Amino acid sequence: MRIEWQAAPQSKVRTEPKTRRSRRTVPLPEVVSTALSEHSEQFPPADEGTIFTTRFTGPYRHDYYGSLIFSAAVKRAGLPEGTTSHDLRHHCASVLLMQGESVTVVAERLGHENASLVLSTHGHLMPDSEKAPAARLTTRGVVPRVPQSDSPTA
């Protein structure tokens, strides 16, 4: 999916994303891609590419989408009341990091200019991040095992 525009708060106006990196292609899991394809068959995107539109094929107001449409979807999905799209974004980043994805890749996926925001927000989810590289080097034979002698040498 390609991100080119965002909805301006409190309006139906499409605006430029906040940063240059916000314009990006986001790889989607197959289940999401399938769901979007099925949605698009039933509800074709607007001429300019907006996927979720009103019955008149116009964009939803940013606040209407968040407060009514998204909250109804949250309830149907069985998620905690008050879950926001931003919460799901944080969850996605957290899952990727806990599964060992690089901070740089997660930052790119989120459209951040650099990885520092990901590290400051989600760094606590990588408790073994300092130990893991050393273990990988040892198990892959990059760091040779040092023979242990019975007597110390001077």
Side-chain angles (χ1 to χ4, degrees), residues 7 15 23 37 44 46 54 66 68 71 76 109 133:
T15 62
R23 282 186 179 226
S37 292
T54 67
L68 295 175
S71 61
R76 280 193 310 273
R109 173 73 56 98

Side-chain angles (χ1 to χ4, degrees), residues 69-122:
I69 295 171
F70 193 80
S71 61
V74 163
K75 185 174 184 175
R76 280 193 310 273
L79 297 171
E81 185 177 341
T83 298
T84 65
S85 58
H86 211 75
D87 294 332
L88 297 181
R89 178 180 160 88
H90 281 294
H91 178 73
C92 176
S94 300
V95 168
L96 290 172
L97 290 169
M98 287 189 298
Q99 291 181 347
E101 190 57 74
S102 82
V103 175
T104 304
V105 168
V106 174
E108 288 172 358
R109 173 73 56 98
L110 298 176
H112 291 315
E113 287 292 322
N114 59 57
S116 63
L117 182 58
V118 174
L119 285 171
S120 64
T121 305
H122 303 283

